[in-house]
Amino acid sequence: MMRTRPLKVALLGCGVVGSEVARIMTTHADDLAARVGAPVELAGVAVRRPDKVREGIDPALITTDATALVKRGDLDIVVEVIGGIEPARTLITTAFEHGASVVSANKALLAQDGAALHAAAEEHGKDLYYEAAVAGAIPLIRPLRESLAGDKVNRVLGIVNGTTNFILDKMDSTGAGYQEALDEATALGYAEADPTADVEGFDAAAKAAILAGIAFHTRVRLDDVHREGMTEVTAADFASAKEMGCTIKLLAICERAEDGASVTARVHPAMIPLSHPLASVRGAYNAVFVESDASGRLMFYGPGAGGSPTASAVLGDLVAVARNRINGTTGPGESAYAALPVSPMGEVVTRYHISLDVADKPGVLAQVATVFAEHGVSIDTVRQQGKDGEASLVVVTHRASDAALGGTVEALRKLDTVRGVASIMRVEGE
């Protein structure tokens, strides 16, 4: 039997995502009520610009006083889609204090203060759901948190930023340079006017922190994630990748150490073989590989951003939280029992592709090989091309630690025969 008293929902933010959430709540009201077991009513919308026309939203619901809205005391759920750290953090904790559960899409806040927010939710007996914070419409948080709760996840590897994937895909498919591809992404609306959060890896790093924390039952904060952007990736890097049968993607990688005693989380560009499923992820799409003991390899694929896809994830959480409210229960909270240490990037072991500009004369290759050997880095393949007294030397290593590779490169720079290090890129996904 359906409950007649509606569940009251407040919406914080009414931009691209928020307006789509409101639209779906209105146009699909009957379906949502049937799925939840009670009507779901939009009780208030907090915005910064009250004079903006918002089609389909009753102007009487609009307010600029978000604090007063979450303090009403009669709300069942607060949906936070304003982003940023403050005032979102204070508004969410205030919502808990005044009896509401929270659905959020705020990756930056969750990566920085997820533990404190989970603690506040638990203290007040409320839900904190955030499927929309990572990979848009792709169901990822809930499978990790619930479906794989009985499994041991060892690795999460994926493309979690659509803007950077669009740019790199364009560079790969057309031979365009970074700036040219970025300009096209901006013109098409895939990149913001200031793309720093995307192209420098901040967005992906926040998502990696959230994924690592859930996958490994360990608190992983944004500061724990090693981050490198993709602004230095060149057309020459793509040419080298193609010669190896690879392409280049900006990857978020969360791994459990082989001995199970620690974890790592990192974001950086990497070469991956064309045979790997992530290599075929095109445009602004996202895809994430999850590797675990019992289920093996799972791949989650779909649109990772945008109003409708992100709103879909928000509404999925809203339905789940609403059902919990009706049943007087809460869903799973933070699971950080493992409390594994997060290892620094220097201890991460992977393969490397190093391109050197060297003098084209006898003995150079021997000198370079000696430096690698002295630092304990084993060489897999070497390719050398020379012209007019100069040469390009490309070295692909076997697996080595980041610290060992760093020492190797520092020593290479001191060789008189090495003119410069053109590029260094990790090789992943084998």
Side-chain angles (χ1 to χ4, degrees), residues 196-266:
T196 301
D198 294 323
V199 300
E200 293 294 352
F202 291 101
D203 175 85
K207 296 170 181 177
I210 295 169
L211 291 174
I214 296 171
F216 306 133
H217 304 279
T218 291
R219 287 177 178 170
V220 179
R221 300 181 73 251
L222 182 58
D223 292 344
D224 295 321
V225 182
H226 174 83
R227 176 194 55 80
E228 298 174 26
M230 41 76 72
T231 58
E232 300 301 318
V233 177
T234 66
D237 291 326
F238 274 101
S240 293
K242 286 182 179 180
E243 290 179 359
M244 291 179 57
C246 294
T247 189
I248 298 172
K249 299 290 186 181
L250 184 74
L251 299 179
I253 305 170
C254 312
E255 292 180 308
R256 188 190 300 269
E258 290 185 6
D259 62 3
S262 64
V263 299
T264 59
R266 51 196 165 101

Side-chain angles (χ1 to χ4, degrees), residues 358-361 385-392 419:
V358 300
D360 187 14
K361 61 182 183 181
Q385 294 178 325
K387 183 178 180 181
D388 299 329
E390 298 296 327
S392 173
R419 311 298 192 213

Side-chain angles (χ1 to χ4, degrees), residues 4 34 120 153 204 287 295 372:
T4 56
V153 176
S295 60
F372 275 88

Side-chain angles (χ1 to χ4, degrees), residues 123-253:
E123 177 185 354
H124 296 285
K126 299 297 179 288
D127 275 323
L128 173 63
Y129 276 47
Y130 43 91
E131 185 68 66
V134 179
I138 304 172
L140 188 58
I141 299 296
R142 193 169 289 119
L144 281 173
R145 194 158 68 165
E146 299 178 30
S147 303
L148 296 175
D151 206 344
K152 179 183 178 184
V153 176
N154 296 311
R155 195 176 196 224
V156 179
L157 167 75
I159 299 163
V160 294
N161 183 277
T163 300
T164 53
N165 198 60
F166 178 89
I167 293 170
L168 292 172
D169 181 39
K170 187 61 61 173
M171 293 175 69
D172 184 29
S173 60
T174 69
Y178 165 74
Q179 189 60 51
E180 182 183 352
L182 172 60
D183 290 344
E184 182 172 350
T186 304
L188 292 173
Y190 291 125
E192 301 287 345
D194 180 0
T196 301
D198 294 323
V199 300
E200 293 294 352
F202 291 101
D203 175 85
K207 296 170 181 177
I210 295 169
L211 291 174
I214 296 171
F216 306 133
H217 304 279
T218 291
R219 287 177 178 170
V220 179
R221 300 181 73 251
L222 182 58
D223 292 344
D224 295 321
V225 182
H226 174 83
R227 176 194 55 80
E228 298 174 26
M230 41 76 72
T231 58
E232 300 301 318
V233 177
T234 66
D237 291 326
F238 274 101
S240 293
K242 286 182 179 180
E243 290 179 359
M244 291 179 57
C246 294
T247 189
I248 298 172
K249 299 290 186 181
L250 184 74
L251 299 179
I253 305 170

Side-chain angles (χ1 to χ4, degrees), residues 97-112:
E97 292 165 1
H98 287 79
S101 290
V102 173
V103 172
S104 176
N106 196 331
K107 54 188 169 288
L109 178 58
L110 288 159
Q112 178 172 306

Side-chain angles (χ1 to χ4, degrees), residues 403-418:
L405 195 282
T408 303
V409 171
E410 184 177 349
L412 288 171
R413 294 184 192 276
K414 296 177 181 179
L415 294 178
D416 292 338
T417 51
V418 175

